[in-house]
Amino acid sequence: MIAPVKLLTETASQTAGPYLHIGLAPQYAGITTFKTLFGSVLTDANTRGERIRIEARIFDGLNTPVLDGLIELWQANAGGRYRHPGDRQNKALDESFTGYGRACFDTEAGIYAFDTIKPGTVCGRLGDHMAPHVNLWIVARGINIGLHTRMYFADEAPANAADPVLRSIEWEIRRQTLIAPRQERDGKAIYSFDIHLQGETETVFFDL
Amino acid sequence: MKKHSSFGEFVPRDLNVHPATYTPKYRFSELRSPRRSLIPLASTLSEITGPTFDQVTFERADNDLILNGAHDGLPLGERIVIHGYVLDQWGRAVPDALVEIWQANASGRYRHKKDQYLAPLDPNFGGSGRTLTDAEGHYRFRTIRPGAYPVGLDWRPAHIHFSISGSGWAQRLITQMYFEGDPLIRSCPIVGTIPTSAQIDRLIAVQDEAQFVTMDSRAYRFDIVLRGRRATWFENTQGDDT
């Protein structure tokens, strides 16, 4: 008799709830337990690459800003290399860049801001090239399972047009929900990324 | 950085074992749930990699919530140990996974400005802990058993929030752990978002008498399963050095 291959079942997700700051970003809850914090500034003086600021906002189905959530960010370095042993591209690591950050809102406008560098191009699944992008994961009260999305850069139009993940989104108009416009403010590049949980302009969320 | 032999893509996620995005009985999901289908994304380097935590400085009391929020005494409440294994879907240990927890105090009150419940804060309890799993995927916390608390007309069963960061971005998981025998579990709207009773049961920690600490603490066991990786990665993205 042939037995079917049996996998364990993944543990069920539950909402992070309204008090997620206590555990994931204790600096926002006034808790000083930990020496290392996972913050929203990913650069130091030695980090290589163009300094950018990503200003994300999250809107609910009534277009009200979501203020109590948390966004995690994971990205490649300026040369397009992830700091992880699974990335075997022949590209240099940057010892001053982990590529990982977390942000909570820091103003009443509900802006989740990351100070980081613009990532380089990463090899795609089929040996092609992915346009520069950052990977985002969103949790909040009312979100039952963390939402995965990506942010691409509006000033990379040719690369975006060729990006295999963007192109896999059947509805061209929906690809636009992942592309953040660029502006200069006080000499610094700002990318504004509005995440819409519902509605006409609902952001594309991925099943990874 | 540790050398690993294989970082294959992840087994596709079975969304039927997770809550739906919109769950009417948990009303906060109404306006915060995407209504369009998730777009399937075949794994790339962006999904099979993820943050590593080998440069994080851990303090001795980071996983000891009895001590890490104490100022001039010990927190009130039942002293407990929570421990278990982080495994993947093949049953293999996930070492070096970051496990972060947060919880209410023994009275059911969170140290958070948004928590208005009339139960008191405990000056000696913060409510957050973190640790890395060891080579066997094992983690351990010492804490105070949290109290139940009301949300509107409902009550939340005693629970501890768990956040787990495994070896890849696509494994990221947040969940909640409940306690064996709590009658509030079956009426909780947030527990009720989970589609099957078997999946609810896997979130319920069981009393683990073998791990009781004499004259000190009771113990509970809670194992967590993250998505598994396939054995091989596809050829072309091995990169230029293969």
Side-chain angles (χ1 to χ4, degrees):
Chain A
M1 184 174 159
I2 297 170
V5 176
K6 191 103 174 103
L7 292 184
L8 298 178
T9 305
E10 188 187 7
T11 300
S13 173
Q14 290 264 265
T15 180
Y19 309 125
L20 56 84
H21 313 88
I22 297 173
L24 300 175
Q27 64 272 35
Y28 289 89
I31 291 173
T32 55
T33 301
F34 306 122
K35 200 163 236 176
T36 305
L37 298 169
F38 304 109
S40 58
V41 178
L42 281 74
T43 54
D44 66 26
N46 299 318
T47 307
R48 294 193 290 274
E50 184 196 0
R51 266 53 180 174
I52 63 168
R53 185 176 172 88
I54 295 171
E55 294 189 347
R57 296 186 296 175
I58 310 171
F59 296 95
D60 72 10
L62 291 176
N63 240 6
T64 305
V66 173
L67 300 178
D68 57 0
L70 178 136
I71 303 179
E72 287 195 358
L73 176 148
W74 171 239
Q75 67 167 90
N77 67 23
R81 168 83 188 260
Y82 284 104
R83 189 184 174 280
H84 185 281
D87 184 343
R88 298 175 61 200
Q89 299 175 98
N90 187 18
K91 295 173 177 176
L93 284 172
D94 180 346
E95 285 309 315
S96 295
F97 191 69
T98 67
Y100 178 59
R102 292 177 179 172
C104 296
F105 75 91
D106 56 5
T107 71
E108 286 305 304
I111 291 173
Y112 299 69
F114 292 94
D115 290 299
T116 183
I117 50 96
K118 194 171 174 187
T121 298
V122 175
C123 186
R125 182 181 169 84
L126 303 174
D128 43 6
H129 296 285
M130 292 192 284
H133 65 277
V134 300
N135 308 287
L136 301 173
W137 187 71
I138 300 145
V139 290
R141 178 184 221 180
I143 295 177
N144 286 326
I145 180 166
L147 299 170
H148 283 286
T149 188
R150 288 183 174 195
M151 190 202 90
Y152 288 81
F153 299 86
D155 52 318
E156 297 282 348
N160 292 341
D163 180 80
V165 171
L166 284 174
R167 289 172 67 94
S168 75
I169 302 166
E170 190 177 351
W171 306 272
E172 241 178 290
I173 193 166
R174 296 205 67 204
R175 299 175 192 170
Q176 298 306 315
T177 67
L178 303 186
I179 299 173
R182 175 184 177 120
Q183 56 172 302
E184 306 283 332
R185 192 190 305 151
D186 302 327
K188 192 164 188 182
I190 314 282
Y191 291 91
S192 303
F193 190 52
D194 285 350
I195 298 161
H196 294 273
L197 299 177
Q198 295 177 3
E200 284 284 299
T201 54
E202 184 179 305
T203 300
V204 167
F205 299 106
F206 291 108
D207 178 14
L208 302 187
Chain B
M1 199 180 290
K2 290 193 179 66
K3 295 285 179 216
H4 294 266
S5 57
S6 171
F7 285 97
E9 61 186 323
F10 288 96
V11 171
R13 190 170 226 169
D14 182 358
L15 287 168
N16 295 319
V17 306
H18 293 287
T21 52
Y22 178 38
T23 46
K25 284 180 185 164
Y26 174 42
R27 63 190 181 85
F28 293 104
S29 71
E30 183 176 355
L31 292 170
R32 294 182 169 190
S33 45
R35 296 306 166 88
R36 302 187 197 278
S37 301
L38 300 177
I39 306 274
L41 194 164
S43 289
T44 73
L45 282 175
S46 300
E47 290 73 40
I48 68 145
T49 62
T52 52
F53 302 98
D54 48 330
Q55 292 182 345
V56 177
T57 305
F58 288 88
E59 301 286 287
R60 202 161 153 260
D62 279 2
N63 68 342
D64 187 345
L65 288 75
I66 290 179
L67 294 183
N68 72 23
H71 294 291
D72 54 5
L74 293 174
L76 295 173
E78 284 182 58
R79 299 159 64 90
I80 57 171
V81 167
I82 309 280
H83 80 112
Y85 291 86
V86 179
L87 307 171
D88 71 12
Q89 287 177 277
W90 312 105
R92 293 185 295 217
V94 182
D96 299 325
L98 178 66
V99 182
E100 296 164 285
I101 65 170
W102 66 101
Q103 63 166 92
N105 67 23
S107 306
R109 175 81 182 269
Y110 285 92
R111 186 169 288 283
H112 192 286
K113 63 179 190 288
K114 285 277 176 62
D115 189 354
Q116 302 295 316
Y117 182 34
L118 57 78
L121 285 171
D122 182 333
N124 291 307
F125 191 72
S128 60
R130 62 159 72 146
T131 193
L132 279 187
T133 56
D134 66 16
E136 279 74 51
H138 189 251
Y139 73 88
R140 186 178 192 271
F141 291 99
R142 192 166 75 142
T143 187
I144 293 295
R145 185 182 168 116
Y149 61 85
V151 179
L153 301 180
D154 300 312
W155 283 77
R156 292 297 334 269
H159 64 276
I160 297 179
H161 296 265
F162 271 72
S163 162
I164 306 100
S165 301
S167 65
W169 187 243
Q171 271 182 330
R172 195 74 180 85
L173 184 73
I174 282 182
T175 190
Q176 300 183 28
M177 186 211 86
Y178 304 94
F179 290 88
E180 179 184 8
D182 189 338
L184 290 170
I185 292 172
R186 64 173 176 268
S187 58
C188 170
I190 290 176
V191 174
T193 63
I194 298 170
T196 69
S197 59
Q199 280 295 78
I200 293 172
D201 289 345
R202 293 188 180 101
L203 295 185
I204 301 175
V206 292
Q207 182 170 285
D208 185 355
E209 290 180 35
Q211 296 294 331
F212 280 18
V213 182
T214 305
M215 296 298 286
D216 186 330
S217 309
R218 290 199 292 152
Y220 286 86
R221 168 83 178 257
F222 178 54
D223 293 341
I224 296 158
V225 178
L226 302 181
R227 292 171 66 184
R229 288 180 187 267
R230 288 175 171 159
T232 55
W233 180 233
F234 25 87
E235 297 296 323
N236 291 330
T237 48
Q238 291 287 345
D240 305 326
D241 63 346
T242 54

